[in-house]
């Protein structure tokens, strides 16, 4: 199946409330343009350098999502154009995003990455840490806006475990939503990838990050 067919099949089954981020990491610009021609505008990359190069070369109405782990010293390269940073997992990083956004005279939307998986390899903060951050630190950061949470389930074929982890993130999201703070407008739950997005949507996701189901397997 072609990229366009994959994308159309996926989009046809998607509820209108769910935003699809097409994860184009490791894929060439020509693949991105195939998806672009079907109307796809949200694309996700996990390396800042790759995202910068693609953004330079490709149409300016693409919304670029940084879905990977973010190194603080590289925030400056994407601060001028990034649409949404999914992987905020500490205050120092958030402060750096705020500082760089200020230089570009813009507000950068961010998601707090919550660790829901059992595996140690997954990044993210605890729900308690996220809550403290929203209650005490975010109000002073005028050039960022926290718009939701992001999470990755454990890489397993245990359906119940994945479901539990997604449900936990939904619960955490609802809890954080009740916090009223400036620079905070909780509306997005980014969860679900190629292998588990239907389940994620059933558990309340409204933003999915799908790569291989659209572009095919990655060769690293
Ligand atoms: C690579 C990646 C995805 C997409 O994974 P697929 O299984 O190819 O859909 C989603 N989210 C993050 C954070 C990723 O790094």
């Amino acid at each position: 199946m072609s990229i366009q067919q994959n994308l159309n099949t996926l989009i046809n089954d998607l509820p209108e409330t769910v935003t699809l981020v097409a994860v184009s990491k490791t894929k060439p610009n020509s693949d991105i343009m195939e998806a672009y021609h079907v109307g796809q505008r949200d694309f996700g990359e996990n390396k800042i350098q790759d995202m910068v190069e693609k953004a330079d070369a490709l149409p300016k109405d693409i919304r670029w999502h940084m879905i990977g782990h973010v190194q603080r010293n590289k925030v400056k390269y994407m601060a001028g154009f990034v649409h949404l940073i999914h992987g905020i997992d500490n205050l120092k990083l958030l402060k750096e995003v705020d500082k760089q956004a200020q230089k570009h005279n813009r507000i950068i939307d961010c998601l707090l990455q919550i660790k829901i998986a059992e595996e140690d390899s997954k990044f993210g903060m605890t729900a308690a840490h996220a809550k403290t951050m929203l209650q005490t630190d975010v109000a002073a950061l005028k050039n960022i806006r926290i718009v939701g949470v992001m999470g990755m389930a454990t890489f397993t074929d245990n359906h119940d475990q994945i479901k539990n982890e997604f449900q936990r993130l939904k619960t955490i999201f609802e809890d954080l939503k009740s916090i009223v703070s400036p620079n905070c407008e909780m509306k997005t739950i980014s969860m679900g990838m190629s292998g588990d997005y239907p389940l994620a949507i059933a558990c309340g996701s409204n933003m999915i990050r799908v790569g291989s189901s659209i572009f095919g397997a990655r060769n690293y």
Side-chain angles (χ1 to χ4, degrees), residues 21-25 44-46 66-69 86 113 122 150-152 155 190 192-197 208-218 220:
V21 178
V23 176
S24 48
K25 63 188 185 197
E45 291 284 330
N46 70 337
M66 176 39 61
I67 62 168
H69 181 65
H86 291 231
Q113 183 170 356
K122 299 273 195 293
M150 181 270 219
M152 283 170 90
F155 188 71
S190 167
M193 313 181 9
S194 292
D196 55 23
Y197 74 83
I208 57 173
R209 310 174 308 270
V210 178
S212 39
S213 290
I214 299 171
F215 297 107
R218 285 176 293 273
Y220 286 99

